Amino acid sequence: MSQFDVIVVGAGIHGVGVAQAVAAAGQKVLLLEQHSPAFGTSSRSSKLIHGGLRYLESGQFHLVRESLLERTLMLKNAPELVRLRAFHIPLYRETRRKPWQIMLGLSLYSVLGGFQRGCRFGLLSKKEWSHLDGLETDNLRAVFRYYDGQTDDALLTRSVLQSAVRLGAEVHIPAKLIHAELHNTGVRATVQQHDRSIDVDAKVLVNATGPWINHTLQCVTPTPPLRLLELVQGTHLVLPGQVTRGIYYVESPRDGRAVFVMPWYGETLIGTTETRYRGDPGDVKPLQAEVNYLLQIMKHYFPQRAARAEDIEHSFAGVRVLPAGSGHAFHRPRDTVLDTDRASKPRLISIVGGKLTGWRATAEQVIQRIESSLPVRERRADTRSIPLYPE
Ligand SMILES: Cc1cc2nc3c(=O)[nH]c(=O)nc-3n(C[C@H](O)[C@H](O)[C@H](O)COP(=O)(O)OP(=O)(O)OC[C@H]3O[C@@H](n4cnc5c(N)ncnc54)[C@H](O)[C@@H]3O)c2cc1C
């Protein structure tokens, strides 16, 4: 029987981030993953390291500010993994968002970003419009340019995982948590590894299983109340021929949702959609209606580029965890929520929702919430300055 300070379940970006932060704090940590690193949502995102310009519309200023600070840290600590890209927002006669709204949003975005690197923005001259990868110019009124980050989400996850290992984290993959028993001073976890199961003890269990959060809670005795959640799937398509001038932030003519068209390893990535999902998170697949929706947007804005069903090189879907609520998922808060089994000396903590961009800040918040359950140990590193490399 092994004894750890913390067991983290799930090697998505949140799980590897917590493993890194716990190891950096000098604690003994075990990370478990049922399939492979970034098997879940963390390899199926839009791959943006951004404040989230659109979250300003729903007044989520704290989230935008925190994400922009994290973007600055990643540009410094992981320059080979996170790159600044030019983002273009074309505004047409029929676009719902007006030029003054975009100007106001980008000004606020710069302020919240602390005028750091990547906070410049401006309007493109008409002469430059013809150099925008064949962007439709009929009825075009203005094109704004600003800057935000792009990454390879799976590679970033693996890099954080490797940094956690260098700091002393123990990692078991594949290893699935099948049961966890909470007792007075901690937790005993039962883990399925190949065809045997082993028991592991720890002070705290971190449930970083993303869309599997309630499946994991059901493995715990006594079973905590399950979270009221909505799972929302988002699809991306990879189309041939890369857009070369950066990322395009366009508005769906059908429902006004923001969609990104991005360069991606020599091809073009377009996404995402938002569709209610009820199945097992491991089974999620792009739906025909989502594929049609994205192809229609591509054709609308880039009429000369390949955008037929037979052109699709590859497609994927990921599942987002949102708090249950009324209204469209697009307008729901994107803050990360941390649930613990008890206020003082928690034995179980679950990460609900969140963003790829905020992984480090979330991990530090987890540490703060579980600190009272852990022994005092000597810190090994500060997560604000741990370098990350593609590996
Ligand atoms: C379509 C889409 C686009 C997005 N785009 C962006 C974006 O551009 N920028 C951004 O900042 N955020 C974005 N997000 C949000 C971001 O991707 C997620 O918040 C993040 O990836 C969630 O990571 P996670 O670690 O919580 O979950 P996951 O990545 O899903 O990881 C959970 C892991 O737990 C493992 N697991 C489950 N059960 C067990 C068990 N019993 N035992 C062991 N392992 C288990 C799974 O195999 C999985 O690997 C997007 C989300 C979606 C859906």
Side-chain angles (χ1 to χ4, degrees):
M1 173 96 51
S2 322
Q3 170 75 49
F4 289 86
D5 296 323
V6 178
I7 298 171
V8 182
V9 192
I13 194 69
H14 285 135
V16 299
V18 173
Q20 186 209 53
V22 172
Q27 312 284 343
K28 206 172 164 220
V29 55
L30 171 68
L31 175 64
L32 306 172
E33 164 57 47
Q34 61 180 352
H35 292 295
S36 53
F39 167 79
T41 315
S42 300
S43 58
R44 303 145 190 254
S45 78
S46 300
K47 295 140 197 348
L48 300 177
I49 297 298
H50 63 160
L53 188 59
R54 73 179 180 82
Y55 302 137
L56 294 176
E57 289 178 343
S58 44
Q60 300 182 66
F61 302 127
H62 171 77
L63 174 69
V64 174
R65 183 169 160 65
E66 181 183 89
S67 303
L68 286 172
L69 287 175
E70 290 304 312
R71 184 188 79 172
T72 303
L73 281 182
M74 275 186 268
L75 288 170
K76 177 166 74 73
N77 294 332
E80 292 168 81
L81 286 160
V82 178
R83 294 221 163 84
L84 270 188
R85 292 268 190 204
F87 278 59
H88 300 99
I89 310 179
L91 298 178
Y92 296 82
R93 217 172 27 212
E94 62 279 11
T95 305
R96 294 169 206 206
R97 293 166 185 92
K98 301 295 161 219
W100 69 265
Q101 290 172 305
I102 301 296
M103 184 63 100
L104 186 67
L106 288 173
S107 306
L108 191 53
Y109 206 61
S110 267
V111 173
L112 293 171
F115 303 106
Q116 293 282 329
R117 207 179 133 213
C119 285
R120 279 176 301 140
F121 67 93
L123 269 172
L124 263 61
S125 70
K126 273 195 174 175
K127 267 198 300 205
E128 291 172 277
W129 292 0
S130 56
H131 302 295
L132 294 177
D133 294 294
L135 179 75
E136 178 61 86
T137 50
D138 275 2
N139 294 327
L140 187 58
R141 291 171 67 194
V143 180
F144 281 91
R145 179 188 285 155
Y146 73 107
Y147 295 85
D148 238 329
Q150 188 186 27
T151 191
D152 175 332
D153 48 5
L155 189 58
L156 178 69
T157 304
R158 290 199 299 273
S159 305
V160 179
L161 172 64
Q162 288 309 321
S163 82
V165 170
R166 277 193 292 276
L167 287 163
E170 191 170 322
V171 179
H172 288 200
I173 300 175
K176 180 174 180 163
L177 178 87
I178 51 172
H179 183 235
E181 181 100 36
L182 301 180
H183 53 80
N184 219 1
T185 54
V187 54
R188 172 160 296 183
T190 307
V191 181
Q192 183 80 41
Q193 251 190 311
H194 304 293
D195 48 7
R196 69 193 182 111
S197 68
I198 51 166
D199 286 337
V200 195
D201 279 338
K203 298 275 183 280
V204 183
L205 184 80
V206 180
N207 176 2
T209 55
W212 287 267
I213 176 176
N214 278 340
H215 292 73
T216 306
L217 290 177
Q218 278 165 334
C219 296
V220 179
T221 34
T223 306
L226 299 189
R227 254 273 162 183
L228 282 176
L229 302 171
E230 206 171 292
L231 298 184
V232 177
Q233 85 169 64
T235 285
H236 287 84
L237 309 179
V238 179
L239 293 165
Q242 174 158 282
V243 285
T244 57
R245 293 299 166 130
I247 292 178
Y248 297 86
Y249 192 161
V250 297
E251 190 181 274
S252 157
R254 202 192 297 172
D255 55 15
R257 286 184 60 257
V259 169
F260 295 103
V261 177
M262 302 163 271
W264 183 244
Y265 289 113
E267 300 185 299
T268 293
L269 181 66
I270 176 168
T272 179
T273 52
E274 270 162 319
T275 312
R276 184 86 188 256
Y277 185 72
R278 289 194 172 82
D280 184 297
D283 296 336
V284 62
K285 290 195 179 56
L287 303 172
Q288 193 56 50
E290 295 178 307
V291 171
N292 296 344
Y293 173 88
L294 293 173
L295 288 177
Q296 197 185 25
I297 294 172
M298 193 68 194
K299 266 187 220 144
H300 184 89
Y301 289 104
F302 295 93
Q304 294 149 30
R305 299 187 76 92
R308 294 166 306 167
E310 56 269 37
D311 295 324
I312 300 170
E313 303 268 1
H314 172 56
S315 62
F316 58 89
V319 180
R320 211 187 272 282
V321 177
L322 295 181
S326 54
H328 198 285
F330 193 63
H331 303 292
R332 221 67 67 63
R334 298 296 156 104
D335 278 321
T336 316
V337 177
L338 299 178
D339 279 349
T340 53
D341 66 311
R342 55 189 189 194
S344 162
K345 292 190 183 280
R347 300 158 295 182
L348 172 68
I349 184 163
S350 300
I351 302 173
V352 191
K355 292 180 69 199
L356 184 73
T357 309
W359 64 272
R360 193 207 64 87
T362 300
E364 288 296 342
Q365 285 151 18
V366 168
I367 301 269
Q368 272 177 21
R369 290 286 291 275
I370 62 176
E371 215 168 21
S372 62
S373 307
L374 301 177
V376 177
R377 305 229 192 253
E378 199 179 327
R379 175 167 281 283
R380 294 195 191 109
D382 180 343
T383 59
R384 281 171 304 184
S385 53
I386 298 175
L388 296 172
Y389 316 97
E391 46 192 323

